[in-house]
Amino acid sequence: MIATVYTSGSTGAHQACPKTAAQLLGEAATLARCFAVTPARRVVATVPPHHLYGLLFSVLMPLAAGASFVRETPLHAETVAATARRHAADLLVSVPIHLRSLTVLDAGELPSFAGVFSSGAALPSETAAALGGLGLAVTEIYGASETGGIAWRRHLPGALEATWAALPGVEIVADASGRLLLRSPFLPPDAAIPFACEDVIEVVEGGRFRLLGRRDGVLKIGGKRVALAEVEQRLLAQAWLADAAVAASAVEGPRGQEIVAAVVARAPGPDAELVARVRQGLLQWFDPVVVPRKIKVVSRLPREASGKLTRASLLALFERPAAKEGPPRTEFVIREQREVAGGHRFAVQVPRDLAFFRGHFVGLPVLPGVAQLVALVLARARALYPELGEPRRIARLKFRRAIAPGDELELQLRLDAPRRQLSFTLARAGEQCSAGVLDFSGEFASGLEDMSGGTGG
């Protein structure tokens, strides 16, 4: 074994999946051949390489092809376009939620990518069509951490593909119930063959297949059968929604379970009006008994960097009391402050109604880098060390991960008194979001230095 990857946890706890060199490198070589990746190609990705999809498509596949890849991981539409142009990248590796944000750009703003890859979740047909309108053909990848890549389909401008083709070397059949049975060189060496997947498919002419959803994603509510995946797709198709997700929640009584939905509006407006429009849109396709009983409007879904959304984090949105409307905040919530060797450590909560999120960005709010520096880092520095005055220089400034509404952060400040320098790091769940050094010595010209592009905005 050369690596261990973990499942996304979208339906339960994360599961470890050990990988051999033959699995990872063999799949990378297969992908390079299948998609005709040449040494001249240059890959840029919005999904980080610590996810299996990101590792395979943004690092190992280009290496197997003798191609190159961009080390940065841009997130927002404008940054993706600028990064691709700066590095002359012609292949984009992304996920549906990030690709959806690209559709707000004008046709001339995006480079002419030779190919775009999408995985991690189902790609809404509306997103594929919108990208096609920008002249981009999207290759959608279907697979899992446990199995590796399974199949692919290509959405060409004006022609959306409905069926999937198996990757080279992969064999797919369905049992009597429609359950996908898999033979693949990317499976673990000790896996049962054929490997029984948790998805239901329909095999069609030519060996291709339709993906019908997960076996545990088909519910019977009030005598009506409904697929959660279909409800979610119908939500994502509504023009007034920027994002949406559904889950089944256990309830008391004869129903046993109900569907709940969390949605993100494309434009500000009354929540009650949006919920009414969402319900009305779903009633065109579903019986009233299966339309989500609870629909919650949120500023952002708690998706991971790969675009995945766990069932637990989605259901947690419905356990919290709704926040009362009020003026937006301009200060962070400091939950804890304590001294550490050479400095201080703070537990920081980012309010969901923080004013800095306004307009940055619609449907996917992130905390601007200047707000991190001025309203959080400098505010704490001034309170602790007023004798330092104002910083004359900011060095080694890095924005590595986006900070979203509701995030719980750890801020560390460490003072180098002789040099009059204060270093800081902002981290979420042990992963660094931003870092830098404030220099108060006055030995340098004032201004900002070493500003690095990234997710800080």
Side-chain angles (χ1 to χ4, degrees):
M1 302 297 172
I2 63 168
T4 299
V5 299
Y6 290 83
T7 60
S8 65
S10 55
T11 58
H14 296 280
Q15 301 294 322
C17 303
K19 297 289 184 178
T20 65
Q23 285 176 276
L24 287 178
L25 302 183
E27 182 171 355
T30 297
L31 295 172
R33 291 193 299 269
C34 179
F35 302 118
V37 180
T38 67
R41 297 298 185 200
R42 185 167 294 180
V43 177
V44 63
T46 70
V47 56
H50 59 259
H51 293 275
L52 180 59
Y53 165 55
L55 175 64
L56 281 167
F57 277 78
S58 69
V59 178
L60 297 182
M61 181 181 74
L63 288 178
S68 56
F69 60 88
V70 177
R71 293 178 62 184
E72 299 173 43
T73 307
L75 177 62
H76 307 296
E78 294 84 355
T79 311
V80 171
T83 302
R85 289 189 183 281
R86 185 166 66 252
H87 295 284
D90 53 7
L91 291 180
L92 173 63
V93 175
S94 192
V95 293
I97 187 64
H98 297 166
L99 290 175
R100 191 169 188 174
S101 71
L102 296 182
T103 62
V104 305
L105 298 178
D106 295 330
E109 293 185 74
L110 276 175
S112 299
F113 289 112
V116 178
F117 294 97
S118 175
S119 190
L123 180 68
S125 58
E126 290 74 18
T127 300
L131 291 172
L134 297 174
L136 299 180
V138 182
T139 299
E140 193 173 2
I141 307 298
Y142 164 54
S145 300
E146 307 95 314
T147 63
I150 296 176
W152 64 284
R153 61 181 180 180
R154 180 164 290 146
H155 304 291
L156 298 173
L160 304 182
E161 190 69 68
T163 60
W164 299 82
L167 286 168
V170 175
E171 298 178 14
I172 293 171
V173 297
D175 67 10
S177 68
R179 185 176 190 174
L180 189 157
L181 302 180
L182 179 67
R183 297 177 184 273
S184 170
F186 315 136
L187 286 169
D190 57 352
I193 302 297
F195 184 84
C197 299
E198 292 303 314
D199 292 316
V200 178
I201 64 171
E202 177 190 4
V203 179
V204 298
E205 186 178 353
R208 299 178 70 93
F209 67 92
R210 291 187 178 89
L211 189 59
L212 305 181
R214 290 184 60 85
R215 296 172 68 231
D216 58 2
V218 178
L219 310 178
K220 195 169 187 179
I221 299 178
K224 303 289 185 179
R225 290 175 62 86
V226 61
L228 293 179
E230 183 181 1
V231 177
E232 192 166 287
Q233 288 296 306
R234 296 300 183 189
L235 284 172
L236 291 169
Q238 296 189 12
W240 41 84
L241 295 182
D243 199 5
V246 301
S249 176
V251 295
E252 297 181 356
R255 294 169 62 92
Q257 56 188 342
E258 66 181 11
I259 300 176
V260 298
V263 299
V264 178
R266 277 198 179 274
D271 287 358
E273 181 179 323
L274 178 65
V275 169
R277 296 176 72 185
V278 168
R279 289 190 190 280
Q280 190 60 39
L282 291 178
L283 286 171
Q284 299 179 36
W285 302 97
F286 303 105
D287 190 279
V289 73
V290 300
V291 170
R293 298 290 293 274
K294 298 177 182 176
I295 299 176
K296 184 168 185 177
V297 181
V298 296
S299 60
R300 174 184 180 271
L301 291 178
R303 294 187 182 275
E304 298 176 350
S306 65
K308 289 278 191 176
L309 178 66
T310 67
R311 180 176 179 274
S313 63
L314 176 59
L315 292 179
L317 296 175
F318 296 87
E319 297 171 359
R320 304 168 184 161
K324 294 182 180 179
E325 291 291 335
R329 302 189 190 188
T330 57
E331 295 183 351
F332 295 84
V333 177
I334 307 300
R335 298 194 182 279
E336 180 186 1
Q337 174 182 344
R338 54 194 174 96
E339 291 190 28
V340 295
H344 291 77
R345 181 177 296 168
F346 303 86
V348 181
Q349 193 267 331
V350 183
R352 293 183 176 276
D353 57 349
L354 201 63
F356 305 115
F357 288 118
R358 289 187 170 181
H360 203 267
F361 296 87
V362 177
L364 191 66
V366 298
L367 185 64
V370 66
Q372 298 175 41
L373 285 172
V374 176
L376 183 54
V377 177
L378 273 175
R380 294 298 96 205
R382 287 167 178 153
L384 287 170
Y385 312 107
E387 70 278 5
L388 291 176
E390 295 299 316
R392 302 297 303 277
R393 175 177 177 261
I394 303 178
R396 299 195 295 276
L397 183 59
K398 300 290 183 181
F399 295 111
R400 301 184 184 278
R401 291 176 176 81
I403 296 176
D407 277 353
E408 300 286 343
L409 306 174
E410 181 180 85
L411 168 64
Q412 290 197 47
L413 300 178
R414 295 186 182 276
L415 178 64
D416 184 343
R419 294 186 179 182
R420 294 176 58 83
Q421 291 181 345
L422 186 70
S423 61
F424 77 89
T425 58
L426 267 174
R428 178 185 55 238
E431 294 186 331
Q432 190 181 97
C433 297
S434 57
V437 177
L438 308 182
D439 194 306
F440 297 82
S441 68
E443 296 177 3
F444 302 91
S446 61
L448 299 182
E449 180 180 285
D450 297 338
M451 296 287 282
S452 298
T455 57

